[in-house]
Amino acid sequence: MDVVVVGAGFAGLYMLHAAKEAGFSARVFEAGSGVGGTWFWNRYPGARCDVPSLEYSFGFDEALQQEWEWTERYPTQPEILRYIEHVADRFGLRDGITFDTRVTAAHFDEADATWTVTTDGGESVTSRFVVMATGCLSAANIPDIAGRDDFAGDTYHTGHWPPEGVDFTGRRVAVIGTGSSGVQSIPVIAAEAAHVTVFQRTPAYAVPAHNRLLDPAEVERVKADYPNWRNAARETTTGFGGHFRDDDPVSAFDVDDARRAEIYEQRWEFGGLTFLGAFSDLLFSPEANDTAAAFVRGKIAEIVEDPELAARLSPDTVIGCKRMCVDTDYYATFNRDNVDLVDVSATPIERMTPSGVEVDGVVHEADAVVFATGFDAMTGALDRIDIRGRNGLPLREKWAAGPLTYLGLQVNGFPNLFTITGPGSPSVLTNMIVSIEQHVEWIRDLLVRMEADGVASVEPEPDAEAGWVDHVNAVAELTLFHGCSSWYLGANVPGKPRVFMPLPGFHEYRQQCDAIAAAGYEGFVLA
C-alpha cells in the first residue's frame, strides 16, 4: 500500500477519498463493524453534536452538501451516522475499509522507509505512509473504582453504548460524570428511569441548545451561498459560527452593565457555543470571564427551584476552560422528584458494591451504572497502539512527558507517520470537520509533492518540533484554558502528564500551515 489509514470516522473516510483521488493505493482499518468513528460508538441517550448540522458536515464537495438534507439544528447521533454512511456509499469507500479489525502495532523500517502495520487478526501490511485518523475522543476513560467488578447490575460507558440501546424503564440508574455526555444523557434517562442518582465531581457550565427542526427557507438560504458560508467559518478561531452576525467583537467592559447583560441574554436565547463569542476577551481576561460565568450561574439559579441544589450545580471555575456543554433541559431535570445529586468533589466515590455506589459510607442503590466519564483525549487512542519509529523508539516513550509534534501533524523520529487533528493542532477547540478537512488536504498535497519530486520520507526537524511545542504552550498561556483541570490537559486520566494539548486559534493555524507548505515545507526534512 501507499497509505494505510487507521480509523473510519470523518477523518479516515476523507483521507481515504483524498488519497484515492490523488492516485495513491490506500486501505483503512477500522475497529468497529461500520463507519462513523465517534458516532458509531457514542449511541447513548441524547447523543447530539454541539456544532450546528449545517456546519458539522463536509464542505469539500459541492454536490454532497447540496444533496444532503439535515432535519434539525443540532444533529442527533443517528442522523450523523446516516450522513457518514451516505458519504461512504456516495464515494465508494467501503471497499477500501477492513472492518472489525483493530491495529495493534505500526513499526518503521529504516532500510526502505516503510511501515509495517499489524492488526489484532494477525495480518501485516507494508505501506509507505501511515495516517492515524484515530480520533481525539475515542479511547474511553473508565475510572478505576474499587469494587467495580463487584457490582451486580449492568454497567455502561457512554462512549461504548450498545447499538440496540438500553431500556431504563422502572430501573434505578447511577450516572457518574457531568461532562457533555452526562449533560446530554441525564435528562433523557431521567424521563424513563424510576430514579436517577447523579454523581458530580465538578459542576458543568451548560448553555441551551434551543434545538429545533430546520426551516426549509433557512436551509435554502445557506445552500445558495454555501461556499462563502464555509469560507466565513474557516476565517474564525473555532472553524464555525462565521455566519453569526452582530457587533464587532469588543471587551466585556467596553459596554455598561445593562448592555452587557442584554448581549449575554441574546446569546443565551440564540443558544449554543457561540455564547463565548459575546465578547473578545472572555477567554483572556479573568475579570471579563467572571461576568459571563456570573450570568450563567444566575440562569442556573432561575431554572433550579431548590436554591441549595442550584448552588451545588453552579461552577466556580473559569467558564470555557473546560469544553462548555450545550444542553436540553439539563438543569431543569434536577427539579424532578426522581433525580438526586451527589457531590463527590470533597468526598470521592469510595467503592462500588453489589447493590450500588458508596460515598461517605452511604450506598446509593442502583440497578445500572452509567459511566459518563469521557475519554483519554487526543493521545489515548495512539497510546494504545504499539507505534515505533527510528531505532525502534516507542511513541509512548517519546511522549512520556507529554505529546511532541510539529503542527500537530508529524513527530520527529517517526517519518511518514501523520496524525489528523493531533495534539498541537486546534482540533478539539474547533468544529472538528473543518479541522479534519484542512489536515487531510494538507497531508494529501504533501504526498503529491513527494511523489512528484521522488522524495522517500518526511519528518519534522528536531528544532522545528521543539519550537512548535513552545509556540503551542505560549499561545495557551495567553488564555484562561489553564483555569481548571480539564481533559484538554489530560487531568481526567490518573498519571497522564498535565500538558495543554490543543492549539487555540484555527484561522491563524491554517495560515501558518499554508505558509510552511509554500516555503517548501519549512521545518520538515524531505529525504
Side-chain angles (χ1 to χ4, degrees):
M1 288 286 135
D2 292 320
V3 184
V4 163
V5 182
V6 184
F10 274 103
L13 289 183
Y14 188 33
M15 189 68 243
L16 175 61
H17 173 66
K20 289 172 61 179
E21 288 289 294
F24 295 100
S25 59
R27 185 175 177 186
V28 175
F29 289 105
E30 166 56 45
S33 59
V35 298
T38 293
W39 301 106
F40 176 86
W41 299 105
N42 285 259
R43 300 167 185 252
Y44 60 85
R48 189 184 295 274
C49 188
D50 58 7
V51 173
S53 56
L54 291 169
E55 298 189 77
Y56 194 79
S57 49
F58 284 124
F60 71 85
D61 187 273
E62 177 64 13
L64 171 64
Q65 62 185 8
Q66 290 296 330
E67 71 193 18
W68 182 261
E69 296 291 340
W70 294 103
T71 63
E72 297 181 62
R73 181 187 184 189
Y74 291 99
T76 61
Q77 176 273 331
E79 187 166 29
I80 298 171
L81 186 57
R82 286 196 298 273
Y83 172 75
I84 300 174
E85 290 171 340
H86 172 75
V87 170
D89 293 334
R90 190 188 192 286
F91 296 102
L93 301 177
R94 291 185 189 271
D95 289 345
I97 305 170
T98 303
F99 293 107
D100 298 308
T101 303
R102 187 175 295 277
V103 168
T104 57
H107 294 177
F108 183 68
D109 183 345
E110 294 186 57
D112 57 4
T114 59
W115 284 86
T116 299
V117 178
T118 307
T119 73
D120 57 359
E123 183 179 5
S124 289
V125 176
T126 301
S127 66
R128 292 176 60 197
F129 305 99
V130 172
V131 180
M132 292 294 176
T134 46
C136 296
L137 299 172
S138 57
N141 177 41
I142 301 177
D144 187 16
I145 300 173
R148 193 179 68 198
D149 295 336
D150 297 334
F151 180 61
D154 298 319
T155 60
Y156 307 95
H157 188 283
T158 50
H160 282 280
W161 205 259
E164 66 276 11
V166 180
D167 184 1
F168 289 118
T169 303
R171 303 173 75 188
R172 299 165 300 174
V173 183
V175 181
I176 299 174
T178 54
S180 289
S181 61
V183 165
Q184 288 187 335
S185 62
I186 287 166
V188 181
I189 295 173
E192 185 176 281
H195 191 272
V196 175
T197 305
V198 178
F199 295 85
Q200 170 190 274
R201 184 169 60 184
T202 307
Y205 285 107
V207 294
H210 295 312
N211 190 47
R212 53 176 168 75
L213 294 176
L214 285 172
D215 181 349
E218 175 189 4
V219 174
E220 183 179 358
R221 186 168 60 252
V222 170
K223 287 190 173 185
D225 194 35
Y226 234 148
N228 290 327
W229 213 70
R230 298 283 193 190
N231 287 333
R234 296 185 185 109
E235 297 296 316
T236 67
T237 297
T238 59
F240 73 98
H243 61 287
F244 192 98
R245 305 297 185 211
D246 58 2
D247 298 330
D248 291 334
V250 296
S251 164
F253 299 109
D254 286 344
V255 296
D256 59 26
D257 293 351
R259 176 59 181 153
R260 187 186 314 117
E262 182 182 7
I263 291 172
Y264 283 141
E265 188 66 38
Q266 289 170 351
R267 292 277 176 154
W268 184 270
E269 289 305 315
F270 182 79
L273 293 173
T274 57
F275 179 84
L276 282 177
F279 298 103
S280 61
D281 52 356
L282 294 187
L283 287 173
F284 298 94
S285 162
E287 295 77 17
N289 190 277
D290 285 345
T291 65
F295 177 87
V296 175
R297 286 194 290 268
K299 287 293 186 182
I300 296 171
E302 290 177 14
I303 296 168
V304 181
E305 296 164 359
D306 181 343
E308 186 273 335
L309 184 55
R312 287 197 286 147
L313 287 165
S314 297
D316 60 3
T317 54
V318 169
I319 185 170
C321 64
K322 286 190 172 186
R323 176 83 172 194
M324 197 164 62
C325 301
V326 178
D327 82 296
T328 298
D329 297 329
Y330 173 67
Y331 296 121
T333 296
F334 290 91
N335 294 328
R336 299 177 63 104
D337 293 336
N338 69 327
V339 178
D340 288 331
L341 180 69
V342 177
D343 190 341
V344 294
S345 56
T347 308
I349 294 172
E350 295 170 33
R351 64 183 59 84
M352 290 175 65
T353 71
S355 63
V357 181
E358 183 175 341
V359 178
D360 199 20
V362 177
V363 176
H364 301 269
E365 298 201 345
D367 304 306
V369 173
V370 174
F371 293 107
T373 46
F375 302 91
D376 183 351
M378 302 195 71
T379 59
L382 296 171
D383 190 53
R384 297 178 188 192
I385 301 172
D386 178 18
I387 303 172
R388 303 193 181 206
R390 290 190 187 279
N391 302 313
L393 176 66
L395 184 64
R396 298 187 190 108
E397 185 177 319
K398 166 95 176 184
W399 285 3
L404 306 172
T405 74
Y406 184 41
L407 303 180
L409 281 161
Q410 273 209 298
V411 181
N412 171 257
F414 295 78
N416 293 358
L417 176 75
F418 297 91
T419 54
I420 297 180
T421 62
S425 73
S427 60
V428 293
L429 300 179
T430 70
N431 173 357
M432 289 298 297
I433 311 304
V434 171
S435 280
I436 285 168
E437 287 186 317
Q438 185 265 334
H439 264 197
V440 167
E441 290 162 10
W442 197 93
I443 293 169
R444 175 203 62 201
D445 292 347
L446 173 56
L447 299 193
V448 169
R449 167 74 177 274
M450 291 175 67
E451 185 77 1
D453 293 349
V455 174
S457 69
V458 60
E459 66 179 303
E461 298 172 356
D463 289 347
E465 180 181 82
W468 186 255
V469 172
D470 289 343
H471 171 69
V472 173
N473 289 334
V475 172
E477 288 294 339
L478 296 173
T479 73
L480 300 180
F481 281 116
H482 291 277
C484 62
S485 295
S486 71
W487 57 260
Y488 295 145
L489 292 150
N492 62 320
V493 179
K496 188 169 182 174
R498 299 290 185 94
V499 177
F500 191 78
M501 293 180 283
L503 170 69
F506 174 76
H507 173 54
E508 295 79 6
Y509 170 80
R510 185 168 64 88
Q511 290 180 320
Q512 287 174 297
C513 288
D514 290 347
I516 286 169
Y521 294 96
E522 183 179 18
F524 289 92
V525 178
L526 289 92

